[in-house]
Amino acid sequence: MTMAVKSILVAICLVATSLSAEAATPVNPAIHIATKAYGRHHNTSYFDAPSAHFDADIQKMLKKMTIKEKIGQMTQINQNLFQLADGTINTTMIEWLQKEYFIGSYLNNLSGNGVNFNAQGYADVISTINEITLKTKSTYKIPTIYGLDVVHGAHYIANATISPHGINQAASFNPAVPYAAAEIAAKDSRASNVLWTFAPILDLAVNKQWPRVYEDFGEDPLLASVMGAASVHGFQGNYKSNRTKIAACMKHFIGYGAPRSGEDRDSSWIPDRFLHDYFVPPFKAAIDAGTATAMESYNDINGEAVVGSKKYLRTLLRDQLKFYGMLVTDWHEIENLFEFHGVSSSVEAATELAIKETSIDMSMVPQDLTFPEVLYKLVKKGTIPVSRIDESAGRVLQLKKDLGLFEKNGWKTNKALLKTVGQKSDHEVAINGARESLTLLKNDKNTLPLGKSVKKILVVGPTANKLSYLAGGWTIAWQGSTVDGWQGEADDKQFYGNGVTILDGIKQTAPKGSQVTYLQGVDINGNIVGGSLSSVLDAAKDADVVIVTIGEHPYAEAPGNIHDITLAQGQIDLVTKVAAVNKVVLVLTEGRPRLVYWRQVNDNNNWQPLYEFGHGLSYSTFAYSNITVSSTTLTPKDSVKASVIVKNSSPVDGKEVVLLFVSQPYRSVSPPTKLLKGFEKVFISKGKSQKIDFEITADMFRYTGINDVPGGSLDAGVVKIQIGDNSISLNLKLH
Ligand code: BGC
């Protein structure tokens, strides 16, 4: 297919890989309030963070508790051990688990016959667990902490507000978007007695084929850092005193987003230099933002399984990055040292390695009781010292205390909060986040916005009338909302009557008096629906414009592995055929970049990305002035102010993302072409101009050099800064 497609609109509620200014949209006051609040505090010590030392009462508890009780705090068990498929809670099982193992934490979505519980349902179950726990004979009464993947809103809790996935939040280039999304998600979770989310997801989505691209904040270290920190702040805020907040969990530490083959959990080969310069910054930003917890990752790096690695989970995470919070494993990871990674020859050896060498505090076991049994034996034998158990149990207890679980009503249901779950004002914030993430790649002859002359709109394609395809994986069910909870038919009934499909949205906003018709054409796998495309093509000829919506089936983790990033051929054929007879607006709904142009060339000699990182259009056009600088000499002591004037030279008000890239043509380690070092999203009224200033610091040119000291190298010489299409050189002097 050549560029037969006349106009392309990428309006992606799952993913926007080229990030941009968005089209003019109505402005919601809520998001602006969030921006203001966030803007005021995000650079200060306003937010809480875990402290380096345990409180005196925690230290006292550690002295009195038995080894079994402390190991219980380090153990996390899945919900399916106490919940039957019909949703019934097996309280006898919980009593037994607490009596025998003093389990410290449970996880996962609560549902009955495939239907998720609502906030009240969650709150009741978790209260029941804690009532049983507090009745259990033990040295102290310690409530459990419930963990859940609240990764784009509390999507496992019926009727809670779902927000855009991480990749969309990043595409907004507005940190208030992840901040506001996390605030709502925290409130809905806390109302449900879920005090701990496994988010934000800070993997750099380096391998585009990887089925977890959409969960992340993209592939850029700075963007992921800013968005990740905002998300942590939104979830946690003042979590040590504010009882509408929950603990964030930065994940997956580290190197998970670069699987060699693109398959989930494949090995990553990452030289230390690149680990420090690209993969570490988002985690460092989350630690600096105060993340209370972290999750280690499934992968190995250069053959070293992260879960058993002193290098990554002790030296890097604790000693270098100064993470004082609580570290949980990913699902079954300690046992995986034996069963998957091939590093330990028994579960005993795996447990010994993980606990001795790393700083893991809690094992997401999660479906049996091997971990507490084995760890207890290792402590009894003297293989693992009690001090090591105290270190981890202490972190779990401190977290629980900080979240208010030791307070009289800290673990009890907050009825006032329950009433706010799914409230309309939260929907508005989520919709604004989605709007801010829309990315317009191409708009030939100003096809968009559709004008008054458009009377007949034909919508075709499989993703137009299914919320399931819009929402993607990790929505309602792990694999998305499908009839079989796996890769079956999309099932929109699971959205509790909420949500607006692309088709509904078009109908609601189409020019007055226009007629909107829908014909599916092909299914998500590209199979023609109804035997032939002739009725689609006839209708296409007759329409004023055809909106073609194509994309991916929902998926999460390994079940989403693919071996070819080209979209289903039948979907591409649909676009090609329709574009041959009429003007097309193409809407892509994807969790990762998928090829629709088979003629795109990407090899070493011929790199032609269709759209570079940061590309995006809006209905406005902006003109950039030349860059002016306060000095042409940059030193570690004296930063330089670089300014541009951005003019909205169109008759439409709009937002623009102003990006600052830096580069250094010569340095001791081959330099990257350019690196994003700053961005600002601005609203500029038609005809108006705005001056944007960036502070350029010498640190922007630091890197991990030949000697492999993290960020230890800074070379004097010419450096460049680029804003818009303009660039300017500075002289970097070290003294
Ligand atoms: C995923 C994690 C998730 C955990 C619990 C794992 O398979 O990798 O991201 O938090 O399951 O659901």
Side-chain angles (χ1 to χ4, degrees):
M1 185 168 80
T2 60
M3 301 295 277
V5 179
K6 302 258 175 46
S7 309
I8 298 180
L9 160 72
V10 177
I12 308 172
C13 285
L14 275 181
V15 62
T17 48
S18 292
L19 308 167
S20 76
E22 106 257 35
T25 49
V27 173
N28 181 295
I31 203 112
H32 281 266
I33 291 161
T35 320
K36 240 171 110 192
Y38 188 55
R40 195 165 59 237
H41 298 303
H42 80 280
N43 254 343
T44 71
S45 53
Y46 173 80
F47 298 102
D48 286 339
S51 63
H53 305 287
F54 301 148
D55 293 348
D57 52 347
I58 303 293
Q59 292 181 31
K60 193 173 142 210
M61 286 171 83
L62 289 171
K63 284 203 186 97
K64 295 208 170 162
M65 286 166 71
T66 65
I67 290 169
K68 272 199 178 162
E69 286 171 347
K70 289 189 253 194
I71 289 176
Q73 293 302 317
M74 297 170 65
T75 306
Q76 189 179 49
I77 292 296
N78 194 45
Q79 128 288 346
N80 67 343
L81 256 64
F82 66 77
Q83 188 175 41
L84 311 183
D86 67 0
T88 311
I89 302 301
N90 182 347
T91 49
T92 315
M93 183 64 174
I94 300 172
E95 279 161 16
W96 180 79
L97 284 167
Q98 294 310 125
K99 183 166 161 276
E100 295 297 322
Y101 296 97
F102 309 98
I103 301 300
S105 181
Y106 291 91
L107 85 149
N108 233 337
N109 57 332
L110 298 171
S111 60
N113 297 321
V115 180
N116 288 336
F117 282 16
N118 63 14
Q120 179 78 63
Y122 269 84
D124 290 347
V125 173
I126 297 166
S127 289
T128 303
I129 296 173
N130 281 332
E131 275 157 20
I132 295 172
T133 305
L134 297 185
K135 273 189 210 143
T136 308
K137 196 165 171 278
S138 55
T139 312
Y140 289 99
K141 304 291 174 203
I142 304 169
T144 60
I145 182 166
Y146 205 90
L148 194 66
D149 291 286
V150 180
V151 297
H152 67 127
H155 47 82
Y156 278 153
I157 300 173
N159 279 310
T161 303
I162 295 176
S163 50
H165 274 290
I167 195 81
N168 283 71
Q169 297 187 18
S172 75
F173 272 98
N174 179 359
V177 168
Y179 178 76
E183 273 202 308
I184 294 168
K187 171 182 71 60
D188 289 358
S189 304
R190 184 91 198 195
S192 314
N193 287 337
V194 171
L195 268 60
W196 181 20
T197 172
F198 305 131
I201 300 130
L202 302 178
D203 307 306
L204 278 201
V206 170
N207 192 319
K208 316 281 182 296
Q209 195 176 307
W210 189 43
R212 304 196 74 164
V213 167
Y214 65 90
E215 297 178 47
D216 309 318
F217 295 121
E219 61 177 316
D220 181 81
L222 177 79
L223 185 59
S225 299
V226 173
M227 297 292 154
S231 179
V232 168
H233 286 153
F235 280 122
Q236 293 191 173
N238 297 107
Y239 73 99
K240 294 184 180 175
S241 56
N242 182 340
R243 302 302 171 223
T244 68
K245 294 296 182 181
I246 63 171
C249 179
M250 62 172 195
K251 73 182 189 186
H252 307 79
F253 192 84
I254 189 171
Y256 187 30
R260 289 188 60 224
S261 62
E263 302 223 346
D264 192 37
R265 305 193 194 187
D266 194 9
S267 305
S268 301
W269 287 5
I270 308 175
D272 280 353
R273 180 173 301 136
F274 295 145
L275 189 87
H276 290 298
D277 289 355
Y278 295 93
F279 293 84
V280 165
F283 290 100
K284 165 134 186 23
I287 293 169
D288 293 347
T291 185
T293 80
M295 186 187 291
E296 65 79 40
S297 59
Y298 278 136
N299 55 294
D300 68 73
I301 303 180
N302 313 325
E304 187 166 343
V306 171
V307 65
S309 166
K310 181 175 183 178
K311 171 176 172 172
Y312 300 117
L313 297 189
R314 177 69 76 182
T315 313
L316 176 61
L317 182 65
R318 304 287 186 181
D319 302 345
Q320 293 171 4
L321 297 177
K322 306 275 179 251
F323 173 61
Y324 301 128
M326 198 269 273
L327 174 63
V328 67
T329 71
D330 206 334
W331 186 276
H332 202 60
E333 264 294 89
I334 292 183
E335 289 79 352
N336 278 349
L337 281 164
F338 166 53
E339 292 170 16
F340 175 77
H341 295 294
V343 168
S344 306
S345 57
S346 67
V347 172
E348 287 73 18
T351 311
E352 180 180 338
L353 176 69
I355 300 300
K356 240 187 177 170
E357 296 299 319
T358 81
S359 66
I360 287 167
D361 299 311
M362 184 183 281
S363 171
M364 188 186 285
V365 186
Q367 311 210 71
D368 59 54
L369 294 148
T370 321
F371 172 75
E373 294 277 358
V374 170
L375 185 54
Y376 182 70
K377 278 189 200 142
L378 290 171
V379 177
K380 279 286 159 196
K381 269 204 297 192
T383 314
I384 306 271
V386 175
S387 58
R388 174 65 187 86
I389 301 299
D390 285 355
E391 174 191 343
S392 287
R395 289 204 193 100
V396 178
L397 294 173
Q398 184 70 57
L399 173 73
K400 289 183 174 182
K401 180 186 171 191
D402 290 345
L403 286 165
L405 278 168
F406 294 170
E407 292 162 10
K408 192 163 163 266
N409 291 322
W411 58 273
K412 291 193 181 146
T413 310
N414 178 337
K415 295 209 176 83
L417 215 53
L418 260 181
K419 289 198 190 121
T420 71
V421 175
Q423 65 193 4
K424 193 155 182 302
S425 54
D426 294 349
H427 293 182
E428 291 298 314
V429 175
I431 290 167
N432 261 294
R435 282 192 183 124
E436 289 227 25
S437 77
L438 294 181
T439 303
L440 181 64
L441 294 178
K442 191 174 178 224
N443 195 11
D444 281 359
K445 299 186 189 137
N446 291 330
T447 304
L448 293 171
L450 299 179
K452 288 199 185 84
S453 59
V454 173
K455 296 286 175 224
K456 282 187 191 169
I457 301 170
L458 174 67
V459 182
V460 296
T463 57
N465 71 339
K466 289 281 182 214
L467 288 170
S468 170
Y469 298 145
L470 262 186
W474 293 108
T475 309
I476 315 287
W478 178 47
Q479 293 296 316
S481 50
T482 55
V483 256
D484 57 0
W486 200 247
Q487 309 261 313
E489 274 289 297
D491 182 8
D492 277 11
K493 287 202 285 296
Q494 298 181 15
F495 284 87
Y496 325 100
N498 299 325
V500 176
T501 62
I502 295 175
L503 180 62
D504 291 338
I506 292 170
K507 284 183 180 160
Q508 286 169 17
T509 53
K512 228 175 157 197
S514 60
Q515 172 203 332
V516 179
T517 311
Y518 176 61
L519 293 171
Q520 188 178 332
V522 301
D523 68 17
I524 199 76
N525 299 314
N527 303 313
I528 293 174
V529 175
S532 127
L533 285 180
S534 57
S535 53
V536 171
L537 296 177
D538 288 346
K541 277 183 212 150
D542 190 38
D544 293 323
V545 66
V546 188
I547 301 176
V548 185
T549 67
I550 58 174
E552 287 191 305
H553 197 285
Y555 51 83
E557 303 185 46
N561 284 342
I562 48 173
H563 304 283
D564 179 356
I565 62 170
T566 313
L567 263 189
Q569 191 58 45
Q571 294 200 45
I572 298 176
D573 291 346
L574 174 74
V575 183
T576 316
K577 286 184 178 150
V578 174
V581 299
N582 205 338
K583 190 159 62 175
V584 160
V585 173
L586 180 63
V587 182
L588 299 172
T589 307
E590 307 170 347
R592 58 194 146 192
R594 300 293 300 259
L595 278 185
V596 286
Y597 297 94
W598 56 262
R599 284 179 56 173
Q600 185 175 350
V601 180
N602 286 322
D603 60 36
N604 284 342
N605 301 320
N606 201 350
W607 168 245
Q608 296 177 348
L610 273 177
Y611 304 103
E612 280 204 34
F613 172 85
H615 169 83
L617 308 171
S618 74
Y619 297 156
S620 315
T621 44
F622 296 93
Y624 283 63
S625 71
N626 286 335
I627 304 169
T628 55
V629 285
S630 58
S631 164
T632 51
T633 304
L634 176 67
T635 71
K637 268 205 209 123
D638 302 303
S639 59
V640 168
K641 189 163 100 180
S643 312
V644 283
I645 293 171
V646 182
K647 181 171 187 199
N648 181 343
S649 48
S650 72
V652 186
D653 295 346
K655 289 183 191 165
E656 170 74 342
V657 179
V658 183
L659 302 169
L660 165 76
F661 290 100
V662 306
S663 58
Q664 183 163 24
Y666 301 99
R667 60 176 215 190
S668 68
V669 166
S670 292
T673 311
K674 58 182 183 180
L675 287 172
L676 184 73
K677 287 292 174 185
F679 60 86
E680 199 170 327
K681 190 171 192 175
V682 284
F683 173 83
I684 309 179
S685 308
K686 58 185 172 194
K688 296 275 187 265
S689 298
Q690 193 163 322
K691 185 163 171 260
I692 314 289
D693 298 324
F694 288 106
E695 190 190 357
I696 313 296
T697 63
D699 275 349
M700 290 178 174
F701 300 90
R702 281 198 168 279
Y703 65 101
T704 304
I706 290 290
N707 56 10
D708 272 347
V709 175
S713 292
L714 186 61
D715 296 352
V718 172
V719 294
K720 281 191 177 169
I721 57 177
Q722 184 196 324
I723 306 173
D725 286 338
N726 303 324
S727 64
I728 194 166
S729 295
L730 304 177
N731 186 9
L732 173 60
K733 288 189 175 164
L734 299 188
H735 306 287

